[in-house]
């Protein structure tokens, strides 16, 4: 930028000393860059007006020689440098035109550091870092609500089998939170069950993306009411008492379980917000929670099989892994054929 | 000529600084674009009309799907069955669209925020309950009915349900930000208005009369 300003200043014809050396530099580079353009310009000019051909051919023949005698640039040379400078000015953002129209001081002058440039660069960098940092922060905040990894004490497990069975299943966890399950899902449309419901049906609801809240029957009624208020009227959630539960309250979605001590624990809302119908733990997205028949007549938990893993008298592990047992009823049972996706 | 190296150095420095400024401006431009959502106009945030509509209209639709499914199974009137089938499948796939938006926006499909809080500009409805929803008692009664009684009660409940949904969709057409939301809301306004007229005619021809609108 500064050199262009000096170049224009020297366009007055003075080409001595330092200020003369700079535009010559300019001219040399510009002329090599624009050589072809200049040549073709000259050629076309020569064709158009033979009378002016001599003037035009001077710069055209010049470029090969231009490096050596640059410092004593003739008038045509100065014009070329002027043209190059104005071309450059058109293609680059405008610099500081402070020396425009003024003759450069004859004696120069150790150039000061370009403090203006340094300050501008610093300001831009600081601003860029701040803006990017803020943008990243904002992006992180957005994702927090649906992120279960912040839930303290969350237990996770992956279940590969999602087979349907009409047999009892020996679940490893109490309450279970994934695995083989009954053909019919427990209604989970904000359903508050007054009695313990059958695990095999509840697990099917988890497969549809529902949250299942279970509580020990010992839980004070006030806390039961608090939970019921949370559940009632909400989509994809249900709650039921669970005799023998290891903690007062537990929450389940497919592959996720959390035990808490009280209905006032903030992790309950955190769990529901992050995991209900979360695509990461909904093996069957788009499936419904609606099952009015089950809501009206829930299948009660088998008294011996619930909350007592040491007595799996009612479960038959062979049945859960036998494909024949699981596929056969699916083909014939009506609810599966009409509603199960 | 002796000072030329100093001049070169300075030119070099200015060039580097200009480069730094150019890159810095580019980066801050990008960051500002991200922050202001330029070129990304359809990413509604938590608490927006768009997210509230997607969630509550999903819940609203799901009840219609549930009622229509029941009647499609139990009605013996082919016209009512066809209407129920239409309602069930249309609204079910719309629920899928709306929940897909929420997932794409990185927002939970459901929250524990009060229903209808997104319609804060509508003082009659803000804070719920959702207009037009059948009560648990009405649903329980519907399940006990059959024949012409079932058809008439279904039409009565579904007309009111559609009218309630219309109010929500109209609000979203006027107040949602994302094009995709306003577009679906507009189709709900159009198709449900037409369907209300159809159902009113079907109700009259079956000797029933409409319930008061929500």
């Amino acid at each position: 930028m500064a050199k262009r300003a000096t170049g224009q200043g020297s366009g007055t014809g003075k080409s001595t000393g330092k200020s003369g050396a700079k535009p010559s530099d300019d001219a040399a580079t510009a002329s090599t860059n624009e050589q072809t353009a200049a040549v073709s310009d000259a050629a076309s000019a020569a064709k158009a007006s033979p009378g002016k051909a001599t003037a035009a051919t001077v710069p055209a023949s010049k470029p090969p020689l231009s490096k050596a005698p640059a410092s004593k640039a003739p008038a045509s040379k100065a014009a070329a440098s002027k043209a190059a400078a104005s071309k450059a000015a058109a293609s680059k953002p405008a610099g500081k035109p402070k020396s425009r129209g003024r003759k450069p001081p004859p004696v120069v002058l150790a150039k000061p550091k370009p403090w203006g440039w340094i300050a501008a660069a610093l300001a831009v960098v600081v601003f860029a870092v701040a803006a990017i940092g803020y943008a990243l922060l904002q992006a992180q905040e957005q994702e927090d609500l649906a992120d279960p990894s912040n839930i303290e004490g969350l237990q996770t497990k992956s279940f590969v089998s999602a087979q349907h069975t009409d047999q009892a299943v020996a679940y490893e966890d109490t309450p279970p939170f994934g695995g083989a399950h009954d053909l019919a899902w427990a209604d989970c449309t904000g359903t508050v069950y007054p009695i313990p419901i059958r695990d095999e049906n509840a697990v099917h609801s988890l497969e549809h993306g529902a949250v299942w809240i279970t509580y020990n029957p010992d839980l004070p009624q006030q806390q039961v009411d608090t939970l019921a208020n949370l559940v009632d009227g909400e989509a994809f959630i249900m709650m039921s008492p669970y005799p023998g539960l290891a903690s007062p309250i537990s929450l389940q979605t497919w592959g996720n379980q959390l035990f808490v001590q009280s209905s006032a624990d903030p992790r309950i809302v955190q769990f529901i917000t992050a995991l209900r119908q979360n695509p990461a733990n909904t093996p069957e997205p788009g499936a419904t929670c609606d099952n009015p028949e089950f809501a009206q007549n829930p299948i009660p938990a088998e008294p011996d099989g619930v909350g007592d893993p040491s007595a799996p008298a009612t479960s038959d592990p062979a049945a859960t892994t036998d494909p024949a047992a699981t596929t056969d009823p699916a083909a014939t049972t009506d609810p599966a054929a009409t509603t199960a996706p | 000529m002796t000072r030329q190296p100093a001049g070169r150095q300075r030119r070099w420095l200015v060039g580097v600084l200009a480069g730094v400024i150019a890159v810095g401006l580019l980066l801050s431009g990008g960051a500002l674009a991200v922050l202001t959502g330029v070129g990304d106009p359809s990413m509604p945030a938590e608490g927006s009309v768009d997210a509230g509509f997607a969630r509550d209209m999903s819940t609203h639709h799901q009840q219609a799907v549930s009622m229509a499914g029941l009647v499609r199974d139990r009605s013996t009137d082919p016209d009512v069955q066809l209407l129920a089938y239409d309602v069930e499948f249309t609204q079910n796939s719309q629920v899928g669209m709306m929940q897909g938006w929420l997932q794409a926006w990185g927002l939970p499909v459901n929250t524990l925020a009060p229903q209808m809080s997104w319609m804060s500009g509508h003082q009659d409805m803000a804070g719920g309950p959702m207009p037009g929803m059948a009560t648990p008692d009405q649903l329980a009664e519907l399940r006990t009915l059959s024949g012409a009684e079932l058809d008439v009660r279904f039409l009565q409940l579904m007309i009111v349900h559609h009218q309630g949904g219309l109010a929500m969709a109209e609000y979203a057409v006027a107040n949602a930000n994302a094009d995709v939301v306003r577009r679906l809301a507009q189709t709900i306004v159009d198709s449900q208005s037409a369907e209300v007229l159809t159902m009113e005619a079907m109700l009259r021809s079956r000797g029933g009369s409409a319930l008061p609108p929500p």
Side-chain angles (χ1 to χ4, degrees), chain A residues 108 112 145 276-277 290 292, chain B residues 3 10 46 66 109-110 143:
Chain A
V108 199
L145 266 182
R276 182 167 46 157
Q277 283 190 286
D290 210 25
Chain B
R3 290 203 182 94
R10 187 191 140 98
E46 191 59 52
S66 173
V109 170
N110 291 297
R143 288 188 199 105

Side-chain angles (χ1 to χ4, degrees), chain A residues 93-146:
Chain A
K96 281 178 271 182
K98 60 181 176 187
S99 62
R100 176 183 289 275
R102 279 174 53 198
K103 290 183 183 177
V107 185
V108 199
L109 133 287
K111 298 248 178 183
K113 283 256 192 297
W115 288 117
W117 283 94
I118 291 172
L122 216 71
V124 166
V125 166
V126 166
F127 185 73
V129 167
I132 290 171
Y134 188 61
L136 287 176
L137 250 156
Q138 293 284 104
Q140 263 177 346
E141 250 171 51
Q142 265 259 303
E143 282 163 18
D144 279 349
L145 266 182

Side-chain angles (χ1 to χ4, degrees), chain B residues 3 5 36 75 80 115 191 193 206 208:
Chain B
R3 290 203 182 94
T36 55
S75 175
V80 173
Q115 288 176 348
S191 63
S193 310
R206 284 163 182 76

Side-chain angles (χ1 to χ4, degrees), chain A residues 41-279:
Chain A
D41 272 3
S44 60
K47 273 182 191 167
S49 54
K52 287 181 180 175
T54 44
T57 46
V58 172
S61 60
K62 205 86 185 173
L65 307 169
S66 66
K67 272 168 196 164
S71 57
K72 33 176 182 173
S76 64
K77 191 75 201 173
S81 90
K82 224 178 183 179
S86 63
K87 258 190 186 165
S91 65
K92 286 184 191 172
K96 281 178 271 182
K98 60 181 176 187
S99 62
R100 176 183 289 275
R102 279 174 53 198
K103 290 183 183 177
V107 185
V108 199
L109 133 287
K111 298 248 178 183
K113 283 256 192 297
W115 288 117
W117 283 94
I118 291 172
L122 216 71
V124 166
V125 166
V126 166
F127 185 73
V129 167
I132 290 171
Y134 188 61
L136 287 176
L137 250 156
Q138 293 284 104
Q140 263 177 346
E141 250 171 51
Q142 265 259 303
E143 282 163 18
D144 279 349
L145 266 182
D147 181 8
S149 65
N150 301 321
I151 303 171
E152 210 177 306
L154 183 73
Q155 297 173 41
T156 60
K157 200 170 173 177
S158 67
F159 295 94
V160 280
S161 163
Q163 283 179 329
H164 287 181
T165 174
D166 59 354
Q167 303 293 308
V169 180
Y171 290 108
E172 288 175 10
D173 306 284
T174 310
F177 56 108
H181 48 261
D182 195 87
L183 299 166
W185 56 94
D187 186 274
C188 42
T189 56
T191 319
V192 178
Y193 292 101
I195 58 158
I197 58 170
R198 192 165 166 263
D199 283 351
E200 288 80 357
N201 302 94
V203 169
H204 195 162
S205 307
L206 302 185
E207 189 194 30
H208 289 194
V211 172
W212 180 25
I213 301 181
T214 46
Y215 61 93
N216 195 300
D218 295 347
L219 191 71
Q221 187 58 39
Q222 200 187 344
Q223 293 198 36
V224 176
D225 292 345
T226 303
L227 293 176
N229 277 335
L230 206 60
V231 170
D232 187 36
E234 286 289 328
F236 283 82
I237 191 166
M238 61 182 179
M239 69 180 267
S240 66
Y242 205 96
L245 191 63
S247 99
I249 299 165
S250 78
L251 297 97
Q252 287 77 222
T253 61
W254 186 273
N256 297 281
Q257 187 165 52
L258 178 71
F259 289 97
V260 298
Q261 297 299 316
S262 142
S263 66
D265 194 313
R267 289 175 300 166
I268 293 176
V269 169
Q270 205 185 352
F271 183 98
I272 296 168
T273 304
L275 290 165
R276 182 167 46 157
Q277 283 190 286
N278 185 324

Side-chain angles (χ1 to χ4, degrees), chain B residues 59 102 142 152 163 191-192:
Chain B
T59 307
L102 289 162
L142 189 68
V152 165
Q163 287 166 337
S191 63
Q192 293 202 7

